[in-house]
Amino acid sequence: MAGLFTIDFTTALLFGAVTAGIPLLLAGLGEQISEKAGVLNIGIEGMMLFGAYTGFLVAFKSGSIWLGFLGGAGGGAAVALLMAIFCVWLGMNQIVIGIALTLGAEGLTALLHHFQFSRTYPRLDSIETLPLPLISEIPVLGRALFDHHPLVYLAVLLAFFLVWLFRRTYIGLNLQAAGDKPAALDAAGVDVYVTRTCAVLATGALAGIGGAYLANVGAGLFLPFMTNGAGFIGIVLAMLARGQPLWVLLGATLFGVSLALTTALQVAGLNIPTDVVQMLPFAMVMVVLVLFARHSYLPPALGLPYVRGER
Amino acid sequence: MSRLRTLSALTLGAVLGLAVTAQAGEIKSIAILVPEQGTDYGWNQQGVDAARTVAEKFGLEFLPAEGLGYGDVRPTLRELAEEGASLMIAHASGYNTAAPEIAAETGTPVAIVDRPDDMKAGLVADYTLSGHEGAYLAGIMAAKMTQTGTVGIVVSGEPPSWNSQSAGFALGAKAENPGIDIVYAVIGPAAYADAAGGRRVTESVISAGADIVFGQGNGSSFGMIQAVETTKATNGGKAWFIDVIGDKSELDKGHLLSSVLWDMVPVYSAMVEDIKADTFGSRGYKISLADDSVRLLQTPHIPDDVWADLMKTRDDIVGGSVAIDEITDAQEVRALMTSVEAAE
């Protein structure tokens, strides 16, 4: 086994772990914002997928990866706007609408891909990375962890920013009140509908950026259904992390590392059923978060539409 | 009165008899259901193109249903049956539970993959295809051309068709060079559209020493191609990709070494003939080097002497002097692979 873990191989594994974990981190953090405000956002898979499409389209047409991420945020937010209209303003069932939006995004992006890219399958060139001074020179870990696209660092910082936002600001307080006791927030003069709408849009934008990262950096191209359930894994991470952004960061990291480990075990020639190896990421994340993140809680009004004046 | 009744019964019997006789061998349309669009330069496209060709060949109406995803296709199958499809080709292993059910419900014959034990006379036929003979040639070629002494196999799932090709590739590589290292990795459970996963795993396989990657992945193949285009081999040289089923030459940026090409026209033609002869569901269908329904794509990157050797081996296989086992069990496939550790 030791012969397998050369510098090149180990670096590639860890680099891949980070690349695989970032879309999950963005989706999970986005979901957490929605859940904090009381909206169970099942449509996040569709938001990611649409963000992947718009993100790739903009990056491919403009040649700018940053504009691509902006396009991804816009695409995800556009799907999220539908979620806000149907679930926040019209009070429709959040699970049903979320599933419908995901199915709709799958169909629409497959159709758009068919007309635009299915004869040429355009691919982006390699993405420029930003090696962090000094620490990126550390053998193996430096290249694997500290030589990525700047969005990776921003995504990690976002988790810490959300901790501060949730705990130390009125915005965080309002989000929490919208999920805990929306009537109290309303009585305090803060519009619950606007608060929840902003939360859902932020979720969509983050999920869209996650999708754009998956398409532009992870794959270098867009394909129908390419999110492959990443949005749903983001929901699981957010649910298990129960309101704690740093637990989402840990969960996404664990998931990425476990994915890398599954590749390592297979390449090492371990002759056990692949299905068993492939379960590893899911099992590891669930075990760790269930064991250590039990003291957090989910908002009491999660999934419930708010109707002013109704008790 | 009695004579009239007898005459009526005879007439009715004759009409029914004629109707049944006509129905037995009649085929007016052919439908195919595929999970992704038929423009993927792979499994979906080869299926759709072949079904279209067969429809034109036999003068049948062509009913394609593309991009259905990997979920429940029962509503689509029912709809196609109601539209009068004479044969429905359920072109995905994920459809092989639903399709026989709808065949029994509607009486419309279906063709499924990866379930040879589920055949039913007149209703269900299996076409579990295997390009293992072509993959064997690809393995020989990879062993001849590798500069690092390590080749890789990346797959997005472990259906029987792909297992047999993974095994064929490994057997071919070992036949050419018994000391060769083969690294094998599955992207994920049914990760057929996971292009990012395909790229990530392929980059790891290249970093483990492989400079030629044999990839089987549907949509995720594009991620594998992206990986070989953007990752250098561990010796600093170029990484190469060997594809399966379709021909992606027109998308190539100089890294496509070859492809194990499949032609499903003979298979679908045989299905139509069997329906006409009322023998549908009595046998499975195969592809092989012998009728060129499996062949290796020749690209300018393959040296002439290597190609000549490959063609000689092909002739030996067709002639029967070289036999290649069709191994479909995932556990047996993994047992064929040589880990880096084991080679030390």
Side-chain angles (χ1 to χ4, degrees):
Chain A
M1 181 72 87
L4 171 65
F5 286 94
T6 60
I7 290 179
D8 281 346
F9 183 61
T10 310
T11 303
L13 278 180
L14 292 175
F15 191 91
V18 174
T19 307
I22 291 301
L24 304 178
L25 173 63
L26 288 164
L29 291 175
E31 179 69 20
Q32 211 162 45
I33 296 172
S34 263
E35 289 185 7
K36 201 91 175 166
V39 180
L40 184 58
N41 201 333
I42 300 290
I44 201 165
E45 173 80 2
M47 293 168 200
M48 276 192 95
L49 192 56
F50 203 67
Y53 167 75
T54 54
F56 175 76
L57 180 69
V58 173
F60 177 62
K61 295 288 183 189
S62 69
S64 163
I65 195 79
W66 285 107
L67 283 179
F69 291 137
L70 202 62
V79 180
L81 182 62
L82 297 175
M83 180 93 190
I85 291 170
F86 289 123
C87 298
V88 177
W89 295 89
L90 299 178
M92 294 170 77
N93 186 294
Q94 295 174 7
I95 293 174
V96 173
I97 295 298
I99 292 171
L101 288 177
T102 296
L103 293 175
E106 285 180 351
L108 183 60
T109 52
L111 188 71
L112 291 168
H113 175 271
H114 178 65
F115 287 116
Q116 287 175 292
F117 302 132
S118 66
R119 294 288 169 193
T120 54
Y121 286 88
R123 306 189 285 286
L124 299 178
D125 293 328
S126 287
I127 303 301
E128 291 289 320
T129 58
L130 174 67
L132 296 182
L134 298 177
I135 50 176
S136 63
E137 302 297 324
I138 301 169
V140 182
L141 288 181
R143 162 87 178 100
L145 303 180
F146 306 115
D147 188 6
H148 283 272
H149 188 275
L151 188 78
V152 171
Y153 314 127
L154 291 175
V156 174
L157 288 175
L158 179 68
F160 291 93
F161 171 76
L162 287 181
V163 171
W164 173 79
L165 186 88
F166 289 162
R167 287 185 187 169
R168 305 282 181 197
T169 68
Y170 281 112
I171 296 173
L173 204 59
N174 289 347
L175 286 172
Q176 180 137 4
D180 284 353
K181 290 187 176 175
L185 183 66
D186 203 1
V190 179
D191 194 321
V192 175
Y193 297 100
V194 171
T195 305
R196 285 188 168 183
T197 299
C198 290
V200 171
L201 290 177
T203 301
L206 286 178
I209 295 172
Y213 181 87
L214 192 72
N216 296 343
V217 181
L221 59 107
F222 175 79
L223 282 179
F225 311 107
M226 71 176 299
T227 46
N228 206 38
F232 294 120
I233 297 169
I235 294 172
V236 172
L237 289 179
M239 296 289 277
L240 290 173
R242 302 178 199 187
Q244 305 292 337
L246 294 185
W247 283 106
V248 176
L249 174 61
L250 176 69
T253 306
L254 267 178
F255 200 90
V257 169
S258 304
L259 276 178
L261 200 57
T262 59
T263 307
L265 292 173
Q266 292 180 70
V267 171
L270 205 64
N271 193 15
I272 58 173
T274 313
D275 294 335
V276 174
V277 179
Q278 302 288 355
M279 279 196 306
L280 193 65
F282 304 93
M284 191 180 282
V285 169
M286 285 178 72
V287 167
V288 170
L289 293 181
V290 167
L291 282 180
F292 298 104
R294 284 182 298 174
H295 300 299
S296 316
Y297 71 100
L298 291 173
L302 181 64
L304 302 176
Y306 176 69
V307 181
R308 180 173 283 172
E310 202 173 71
R311 309 193 80 181
Chain B
M1 191 64 186
S2 164
R3 189 182 293 174
L4 185 64
R5 205 177 291 159
T6 308
L7 192 64
S8 301
L10 282 173
T11 308
L12 184 64
V15 168
L16 282 175
L18 279 174
V20 168
T21 308
Q23 202 175 21
E26 197 173 34
I27 176 163
K28 290 181 177 172
S29 59
I30 180 170
I32 184 165
L33 300 90
V34 292
E36 297 174 25
Q37 293 296 332
T39 51
D40 63 349
Y41 294 85
W43 169 257
N44 296 282
Q45 182 167 347
Q46 292 299 91
V48 172
D49 288 353
R52 183 182 291 114
T53 303
V54 169
E56 285 168 5
K57 180 177 160 187
F58 289 93
L60 308 174
E61 185 186 359
F62 179 52
L63 303 170
E66 302 175 46
L68 299 176
Y70 298 91
D72 187 6
V73 290
R74 288 175 180 84
T76 311
L77 286 161
R78 283 194 189 95
E79 199 177 314
L80 288 167
E82 280 172 16
E83 281 182 31
S86 310
L87 167 65
M88 300 191 289
I89 301 169
H91 195 58
S93 55
Y95 300 167
N96 60 19
T97 305
E101 283 176 26
I102 302 303
E105 181 184 308
T106 64
T108 305
V110 297
I112 58 172
V113 292
D114 295 343
R115 294 280 282 268
D117 295 335
D118 283 5
M119 288 202 289
K120 195 171 179 185
L123 270 189
V124 183
D126 176 85
Y127 65 111
T128 301
L129 306 180
S130 170
H132 62 287
E133 296 171 338
Y136 182 86
L137 295 178
I140 292 175
M141 179 176 61
K144 283 178 181 288
M145 294 184 66
T146 177
Q147 300 294 308
T148 61
T150 302
V151 296
I153 301 173
V154 178
V155 295
S156 60
E158 291 185 308
S161 300
W162 289 2
N163 286 340
S164 68
Q165 292 196 125
S166 296
F169 181 85
L171 290 169
K174 284 186 174 181
E176 178 64 25
N177 176 7
I180 197 166
D181 282 333
I182 305 169
V183 288
Y184 175 78
V186 184
I187 300 166
Y192 300 109
D194 186 0
R199 181 177 183 178
R200 174 176 51 78
V201 173
T202 305
E203 283 174 351
S204 298
V205 165
I206 293 171
S207 300
D211 60 345
I212 298 177
V213 176
F214 179 60
Q216 307 186 74
N218 281 15
S220 62
S221 294
F222 291 98
M224 300 177 198
I225 291 173
Q226 184 78 343
V228 297
E229 287 173 352
T230 56
T231 312
K232 282 200 179 303
T234 49
N235 65 352
K238 198 170 177 177
W240 294 95
F241 186 66
I242 301 176
D243 196 20
V244 293
I245 303 180
D247 179 0
K248 296 188 177 73
S249 296
E250 59 187 79
L251 307 176
D252 180 35
K253 292 182 180 175
H255 294 259
L256 181 67
L257 187 58
S258 185
S259 179
V260 178
L261 299 175
W262 293 14
D263 180 2
M264 298 172 206
V265 170
V267 170
Y268 295 165
S269 296
M271 288 178 189
V272 171
E273 299 285 7
D274 282 350
I275 287 181
K276 285 184 170 181
D278 206 14
T279 54
F280 185 79
S282 61
R283 63 173 176 134
Y285 304 93
K286 299 287 180 189
I287 51 175
S288 72
L289 288 176
D291 63 358
D292 273 342
S293 53
V294 175
R295 63 188 176 88
L296 208 55
L297 174 70
Q298 185 176 16
T299 68
H301 309 302
I302 306 171
D304 290 342
D305 58 330
V306 172
W307 185 256
D309 285 349
L310 291 172
M311 289 304 101
K312 185 180 174 309
T313 308
R314 177 205 173 272
D315 293 342
D316 290 343
I317 295 170
V318 172
S321 58
V322 173
I324 296 121
D325 292 337
E326 185 179 348
I327 299 169
T328 56
D329 179 69
Q331 201 76 0
E332 288 180 46
V333 170
R334 280 191 293 275
L336 283 173
M337 307 303 165
T338 315
S339 73
V340 175
E341 180 190 37
E344 285 178 342

